[in-house]
Amino acid sequence: MHSAVFLIEFGAIILGLGLLGRVAGRLKFSPIPLYLLAGLAFGTGGLLPLGASEEFVAIGAEIGVILLLLMLGLEYTATDLVSNLKTQYPAGLVDFTLNALPGAAAALLLGWGPVAAVVLAGVTWISSSGVIAKVMGDLGRLGNRETPVILSILVLEDLAMAVYLPIITALLAGVSLAAGSLTLAIALGVAGAVLFVAVRYGRLISRFVSSDDPEKLLLVVLGLTLLVAGIAQQLQVSAAVGAFLVGIALSGEVAEGTHTLLSPLRDLFAAVFFVFFGLHTDPASIPPVLLPALALAVVTAATKIATGYWAARRAGIGVKGRWRAGGTLVARGEFSIVIAGLAVTAGIEPQLGPLATAYVLILVVLGPLTARYTQPLAAWVAARRAPERPDVVPAPDPVPPLPEPAGREGG
């Protein structure tokens, strides 16, 4: 009976996602907000809570994030990554300054203390790599000139999580400085080792993975990705970082074949991820913290747009690309929820969890909208502000010559 209920629930979820995807396709709109609203409707405190399929949906959601980052990594080589990181690290510093500080300030203004301030800074700082990867794919922008800039900022944020998560875990647990330093050293060592292997031995990895049989290629790539992601997460490094680095380690025909084989799986599990996010949000916990969450969302949406605009301008991207880069970075998601979840488990501030959930829900819905409409809106505002110019501009009247001063004649 339990198996039958699971099949019914999960089948209904997949069918519903397909129908919502069709609706979004006809409206020429990203389906992500519809997936989230569906999760809210059938999650905790929703219209018809699901139970039997919850554990499988949770695993599927985690796989969805991993596949999203793997596919994003396949778009670029290891050389591209290192080059972008070398040139874009100032954008990472600007990103941290503009987007982490508002979260820390909000926590202090609410009287939550310094540890909660560090937590909320992380929630507002990190963009959602999963949401942004999906949005860029939906809008057909993976080949745009501004995409490497966006990718560089996302990678810098994901790599920064290798440092931030051990720090925040130590703060929440109240461990000693020595124990926290050891955890941080392990995290940095693992991230550096995986990056070194991806850059130095990427071609050998591609040869090892390569196969003319699509079935064997799919099994080897998927298994390698999940293995590396799991090891990375076990060692306090983000699973998403591990999956992304596997993607950049693969190149040539292997990357092309993997992209073709995994695209349908990515779309399926990515949709499950967004539904899962909504399933675990109780709608009743949102109204009390809606106003501060909305204010924080508005401020940090503006700061993310400014971050993307500045980074794209620094990279020599045109004005349209600058606005597209800024609008694309607005969405927050999986990392913000992970960070808030750590704080909720530690019990440092009861309202932090609902506020973070409301904040992410606002921006995960707003993110696809800003990605699509920031550049057209900026162009419309610029056109409205530009003064009207006639077709023919009359020449200015000639200026008569000044008279010669008296007493200067005859030299």
Side-chain angles (χ1 to χ4, degrees):
M1 180 63 70
H2 181 79
S3 175
V5 174
F6 162 74
L7 291 175
I8 292 171
E9 286 187 358
F10 193 67
I13 291 173
I14 300 301
L15 177 60
L17 292 177
L19 295 176
L20 290 175
R22 283 189 177 184
V23 172
R26 291 191 176 184
L27 297 175
K28 296 183 179 180
F29 185 74
S30 172
I32 293 173
L34 299 182
Y35 294 161
L36 287 167
L37 293 175
L40 279 175
F42 296 101
T44 304
L47 299 176
L48 184 62
L50 303 177
S53 60
E54 182 177 342
E55 184 176 353
F56 184 82
V57 171
I59 296 173
E62 192 165 355
I63 293 174
V65 175
I66 290 171
L67 290 180
L68 282 169
L69 271 295
L70 169 67
M71 300 295 280
L72 193 60
L74 289 172
E75 298 291 332
Y76 300 93
T77 66
T79 304
D80 293 334
L81 174 66
V82 173
S83 175
N84 287 334
L85 292 179
K86 286 181 178 179
T87 57
Q88 293 296 331
Y89 75 90
L93 298 176
V94 171
D95 180 33
F96 170 78
T97 303
L98 292 182
N99 298 287
L101 293 184
L108 294 176
L109 289 173
L110 291 170
W112 290 354
V115 175
V118 176
V119 172
L120 197 55
V123 171
T124 59
W125 171 21
I126 305 299
S127 296
S128 171
S129 300
V131 174
I132 290 171
K134 176 64 175 172
V135 168
M136 288 195 299
D138 290 341
L139 297 178
R141 294 182 180 174
L142 291 177
N144 283 18
R145 285 194 63 204
E146 72 274 7
T147 298
V149 176
I150 297 170
L151 178 64
S152 297
I153 293 175
L154 293 178
V155 172
L156 286 169
E157 289 180 349
D158 289 345
L159 293 177
M161 285 296 95
V163 179
Y164 176 83
L165 287 177
I167 291 175
I168 196 64
T169 302
L171 285 175
L172 293 172
V175 300
S176 65
L177 179 62
S181 300
L182 178 61
T183 303
L184 178 59
I186 292 173
L188 290 175
V190 171
V194 174
L195 182 59
F196 174 79
V197 170
V199 173
R200 188 71 179 269
Y201 302 106
R203 292 184 179 180
L204 293 177
I205 295 173
S206 295
R207 290 179 185 175
F208 168 75
V209 171
S210 179
S211 175
D212 294 331
D213 187 340
E215 178 184 351
K216 295 177 182 177
L217 179 62
L218 174 63
L219 292 174
V220 171
V221 172
L222 186 58
L224 178 64
T225 302
L226 295 176
L227 178 64
V228 173
I231 293 174
Q233 186 162 317
Q234 187 69 24
L235 295 173
Q236 304 297 321
V237 181
S238 166
V241 173
F244 179 83
L245 293 176
V246 170
I248 66 164
L250 303 178
S251 59
E253 294 181 0
V254 174
E256 295 176 4
T258 301
H259 193 282
T260 302
L261 290 172
L262 287 179
S263 290
L265 281 178
R266 175 203 58 187
D267 294 338
L268 169 62
F269 284 106
V272 171
F273 162 70
F274 298 118
V275 170
F276 175 76
F277 185 84
L279 286 175
H280 284 259
T281 302
D282 185 356
S285 66
I286 294 177
V289 295
L290 188 57
L291 285 180
L294 182 60
L296 194 57
V298 170
V299 170
T300 53
T303 55
K304 274 292 182 182
I305 291 173
T307 298
Y309 187 97
W310 184 89
R313 180 181 180 181
R314 182 176 176 273
I317 308 299
V319 174
K320 291 183 179 180
R322 299 172 197 173
W323 286 115
R324 286 195 298 266
T328 303
L329 287 169
V330 166
R332 271 65 156 191
E334 59 275 8
F335 271 134
S336 298
I337 294 301
V338 168
I339 294 166
L342 292 173
V344 170
T345 302
I348 64 166
E349 176 54 51
Q351 286 189 315
L352 197 152
L355 185 140
T357 300
Y359 170 81
V360 172
L361 277 172
I362 292 169
L363 288 184
V364 84
V365 172
L366 184 63
L369 296 175
T370 58
R372 187 180 184 92
Y373 297 112
T374 296
Q375 184 269 318
L377 181 61
W380 179 81
V381 171
R384 296 276 294 182
R385 288 185 176 181
E388 295 184 1
R389 292 177 296 178
D391 293 336
V392 179
V393 179
D397 294 330
V399 179
L402 295 175
E404 287 288 335
R408 297 285 301 274
E409 298 179 356

